[in-house]
Amino acid sequence: MKVLRQGLIYVMCCSLLFLPGCDFRDIDLRLFVLVIGVDKSENNPDMHRFSFKIAVPSGDPKSGEENSLLITQESASVAEAIREVKSKVDKELDFGHCKGIMYGEAFARDNISKIQDWTVRRRDMQLLMYPAVAVPTAEAVLKVQPSTERIAGNSIFLALSEDGTESPFIIRTYSFDLARRMTEVGEDPIMPVVEASAEQILTINKVALLDKKRVKVIMSPDETRLYNLLYSRNLSTNFGTKIDGQLYEVNTDRTRARYNIVTDKPGEEAINYKIRITATLEEKEDPRQLEPRDLDAIEAQLSKEIGQTVKKMLEKIQKTGLDPLGFGLRYGGTHWNNQTEMQDWQAIYARAKFNVSVKVKIKSTGFKR
Amino acid sequence: MTRSQHLDADRAKKYLQEHFKNAGDIEQREMRNEDEYVLLIYLKSICDPVVVNENLVDRFYELKSLDLYEQFIHSFPSSLVPQDEEELLRNMLKGCVAIFIRNHVLLFDALLVNAGGIQPPSTENVIQGPDDSFTENIEVNLNLIRHRYQTANLKAEFMTVGKLSQTRVIIMYDASKVEEAVLKELRKRLSEIKQDIVQSASEIEKHTMHPRLRLYPTLMLTERPDRTVLNISQGKVAVLVDSTGYAILLPAIFNDFFTSMDDKIQLPPVGWFLKAIRYIALFITVLMPSLYVAFTSYNPEILKMQVTLLIAGSRATVPYPSFFEVLFMLLAMEFLTEASVRLPKAIGQTATTVGGLILGTAATEAGLVSNIMIILVSAVAITNFVIPFNMMSSGIRVSKYVFIGLATFFGLVGIVLGMVAMIMYLTSLRSFGKPYLKMFAVDWRKKGDHRSG
Amino acid sequence: MVRNKYFYYLFLLNATINLINYVPRILITDRFDGALMSIAVSIPIGTLLMFTFVKLIQKFPGQGLPEIFRSVMPKWISGVLLVLYGFAWYFSSVITLISFVDITSRYISPDVSPFIVLSGFLIVVALSARLDSESILYGLEMILYMTVPIIAYMCWRVFSSPYFSWDAVRQVITHAWNMPNYKSIAAATYVYTGYINMVVFNRIFHKFKFRHVWVIVVVSMLTLLISVFAPIGILGAAGAGAHVYPAFSAIDSLRIRYFIIERMIYIFYVVYMSLSLVNSIIHWHVGKELILGGFGFKSDQTESVDKKRKVEWWVLILFSLVVFVLSLFINQYILNDMAIVFLDIRFAGELLLIALLFFAVWKIRRKKA
């Protein structure tokens, strides 16, 4: 017993000797890649141009001078590009904090599936990355450094997540969501579009609709907002309307969009959307005090207009043949003929009608009547 | 005289003279009254001269006959008739006066007690509560407990331990609540102590517990009579040890060491809050340094990006790996703690200020240690002292180094491994048959005094 | 002597372990081919097996399987059976350990060699498996109380996530009418298998009673449904099958907004590592006791206890060596196949065990008569 125990202790001590042989790399010896950008190479069609935005932490956190480093590398594959970039920097690259992947527009219109698969497959990449389409190129977007940015690359994440700004034009999506939509039958991927519009400003106000692997359509900001109304709950945005030439703007508090697919009569399938909006009046041109019936009029007018624009937007999407709202999946989930349902749906979706009913309720008129 | 007298007075006298040959503090006093003759022999140093004079000398001259005097001495319950020379000697060493009357030998207890007054507790302070603590005198301690727990069920068994020191030990318990098995085990273990000298309660603690090598105390040392009484009322056993200001409480489980008497004094929700605070402190003090090592060296991706960059920035100038940085600072802190225990009280304050503030600031300024490290070390130091029992907090102080070691070799995995191993180790310990660590070890269904203690 | 609740803890441990290990992978692979029906079938089967087993073991208060077998069978038959059962039970922990080492080197410590991680695991497991049964149960209780609330929180987060696709879940539900298969049933009944631990732990139960069967049914149903639908909702009906560890990928999609740690996966990892360790400790303990019982070591006499403690070391060293050697040449495909084979054998073995217990009860009754 005693001999055995001593032997065990001996073995344990010996194994401890081997331990420090493993990689022990301190935090200050790592470089954190925060965003990856992918573009098409201009010279060689087989090559891609990868950009890596790397955070350079400064010694004094209060100074706010967080620098970042942008390294671009042309290569055939990501793995190769990383190896090559590693020889350009002094410290080990760490992708544990990589939170964004920007697909340049030209690249995204071609095929993103290879890179996207890499981001899901690689063990240290999170599934919580923010994917986005970068206009004009990913490199240009990564070069932008807004002056409000305290930590390198952080401004993009703040805008793309729910932490920072709450713009109704920004579609929030994660890479696991993108991965799911890319494989799911009956639901197509979407991505926000990040535009480098000025030297210090990034504009994110559009959504790109993809078929399973490439960008097909980029919607306009107004359509993006309407899409977002259907896509997310409690979107805070504003809607305006004109009654007798006077402008009224409302701010939404709560929104909720639901739909069902009616397939009672073959040939007359319809997708019925019900949207409820609770709003606050924010802006009005007319100086006189509002009466309750004025509010009713505004509500009715708004409901009608929003309904029409949403319908127009849905029809536009329908025409592209894409299904970013997952109608097909809903159809599949409510029908038990599993073998044939998706073929059926292809036919149904092409001819389905949209009925949109919007109910706007103005709860208050703000601090003034 | 009905009792049989085995001891011959002359032989006893000779025996004593032989044994006390070089003892300077032996006092022999011959008293003669006409033809009556009495000899008193005692050790001056441990006998109370007032007691000797009042009870033995004065009475001798006041009382008419020697028989009456002998009967008077017999009337004291503490006086006894020794059966042989050894008993005589042993009792004299305990503070008895040997009285030789004719050919009889009697012993009279005249022990001089030199105990300080009752002082406020020094290691277990509470904010609002009784301010007395055990003294070095076992009788006073007994008195303190009896005073607070007035029932005939409170039993006190006397024992002696230590071959040479003959330390008196009292086992106290409430006969109606105590578990018989615990008591039996305790008696057995106390009688097994082979040491020559037992001077403190913690020595008994050390010699009675199994396994010998362990990091966490399974017996509780307390200097508070109120805690002792509370624990006795919960069915535990208290062991009072002479000449130490501490009592041993047993069985003691993990949770007991996180209970302060404050919890009882405060309103119940406040008490729960305080207890929760202590457990949080336990986790922080054990895990914080090792988590720092794991996060900076193995898993920087776990923390939020902002935090990671902060740490990376503040560590930028530090020239050695994280575990060395942690060890360096923690050891500095341990030295400070140790130093402030040894230092005279007047200098202690200065030492901590110099060490804590100046060393910390200078080390950061010089870039030897990161800012975050300083925050961490002070958090660890403070939380460590939140744990109310010194023995437990020392055990925890040591165990955090184990975790640092694990984190250095395995990263986060090591910390989780260590946590599981520690839970398993703690649950495998037993304190007198009671599981040391166990969920709901405290029976919440019983109200009132039966709560934790 | 311990109270009844520890039986439920043993069950709960197995049920929670079930959320991550190979079981969801097997069920998700079959999600379009009868997994749901298998779950539906396995619930009555599993409950019935558990119920019968408990009723039978109640006939042997304070006895473990070795004592029971010994009293009704010739020495060599019981020896062989016990050793076989011991190894089978130990084997399930081998799969748990190896797959957890794989997960560790994938998500947490890619820098540390898997063998060092494994030896760390083995030291803790082997040393803890030597503790007495009572202490192990106390440790189990402690760890369950620390982890189960976190697991519940994570489940709630998964199902309340705005990115959770209920349509994908519905899509899978519409495939419910496919025929169940043996493989999926064997996997799904694994939730209940915690009761098998009673073959050793029954020794320390005091007047064991089995009440609240409905709790077991509800909990097992919940765990099975969560283990299948949580990955499907997050990773998509089609996409869930593409992940090696669906549960981990699903949890990786959760973001904690207001905490120092941003990605839920690390908390999940810590929780499941402790659970896996405890699970392995218990399986090793049971396996070790069965094997030692098979070789005729009794645990009630003092002189044989000392000898048993010595032989115990050799069994545990053998256990560790087997894990080490297996981990050398196992890749994730073999591991998955091994898990399937184990689950299939286990299910048959469970049925056999119950038959053997029936035999034991019958034999003892005849002896008495």
Side-chain angles (χ1 to χ4, degrees), chain B residues 418-430:
Chain B
M419 258 163 58
V420 172
M422 184 153 142
I423 288 177
M424 280 298 168
Y425 170 66
L426 287 175
T427 51
S428 75
L429 286 181
R430 295 282 183 278

Side-chain angles (χ1 to χ4, degrees), chain C residues 123 136-138 172 200 202 230 245 257 259 268 306 315 337 339-340 352 357 360 363:
Chain C
I123 289 172
I136 291 180
L137 285 185
Y138 294 148
V172 171
V200 164
N202 192 42
Y245 296 103
R257 201 169 150 187
F259 193 54
F268 185 74
D306 285 348
V315 174
D337 292 345
I340 292 172
L352 179 68
L357 281 176
K363 188 119 186 214

Side-chain angles (χ1 to χ4, degrees), chain C residues 85-255:
Chain C
Y85 269 111
F87 268 108
W89 202 228
Y90 150 78
F91 212 70
S92 92
S93 75
V94 172
I95 301 172
T96 313
L97 278 176
I98 295 182
S99 61
F100 220 84
V101 168
D102 185 38
I103 289 171
T104 303
S105 49
R106 227 173 252 265
Y107 288 97
I108 304 294
S109 304
D111 302 338
V112 185
S113 142
F115 296 107
I116 289 169
V117 174
L118 185 62
S119 45
F121 279 40
L122 288 178
I123 289 172
V124 170
V125 170
L127 290 182
S128 310
R130 285 189 73 241
L131 301 178
D132 56 317
S133 306
E134 207 177 326
S135 305
I136 291 180
L137 285 185
Y138 294 148
L140 163 69
E141 183 183 30
M142 196 101 219
I143 286 171
L144 277 182
Y145 271 97
M146 283 158 76
T147 53
V148 169
I150 304 177
I151 294 173
Y153 168 69
M154 283 189 278
C155 291
W156 173 74
R157 276 295 305 274
V158 167
F159 285 96
S160 67
S161 158
Y163 296 95
F164 187 86
S165 166
W166 287 100
D167 283 340
V169 172
R170 280 157 93 173
Q171 169 73 307
V172 171
I173 291 177
T174 60
H175 287 79
W177 290 119
N178 293 333
M179 274 294 120
N181 55 40
Y182 179 77
K183 192 179 81 179
S184 298
I185 293 176
T189 48
Y190 185 70
V191 187
Y192 295 91
T193 305
Y195 70 84
I196 295 281
N197 291 316
M198 284 296 282
V199 295
V200 164
F201 286 103
N202 192 42
R203 285 172 181 164
I204 54 164
F205 274 82
H206 180 62
K207 281 189 197 151
F208 174 53
K209 282 201 192 70
F210 186 46
R211 268 169 287 173
H212 309 302
V213 185
W214 62 272
V215 175
I216 302 243
V217 173
V218 169
V219 171
S220 55
M221 202 155 78
L222 275 179
T223 39
L224 279 172
L225 292 181
I226 288 171
S227 68
V228 173
F229 286 141
I232 284 177
I234 293 284
L235 308 170
H243 290 262
V244 182
Y245 296 103
F248 270 85
S249 300
I251 294 290
D252 196 11
S253 316
L254 291 183
R255 181 161 173 263

Side-chain angles (χ1 to χ4, degrees), chain B residues 298-299 301-304 307 410 412-413 416-417 420-421 423-424 427-428 430 435 437-440 445, chain C residues 6 104 108-109 112 116 120-121 124 131-132 135 138-139 141-142 145 257 259-261 266 269 273-274 277:
Chain B
Y298 283 97
N299 310 99
E301 68 273 10
I302 290 180
L303 292 174
K304 247 189 173 149
V307 185
F410 296 97
L412 183 70
V413 184
V416 184
L417 273 175
V420 172
I423 288 177
M424 280 298 168
T427 51
S428 75
R430 295 282 183 278
L437 180 72
K438 189 184 164 210
M439 234 31 213
F440 314 115
R445 276 170 303 178
Chain C
Y6 290 94
T104 303
I108 304 294
S109 304
V112 185
I116 289 169
F121 279 40
V124 170
L131 301 178
D132 56 317
S135 305
Y138 294 148
E141 183 183 30
M142 196 101 219
Y145 271 97
R257 201 169 150 187
F259 193 54
I260 188 166
I261 294 168
Y266 295 112
Y269 173 82
M273 185 173 150
S274 1
L277 281 173

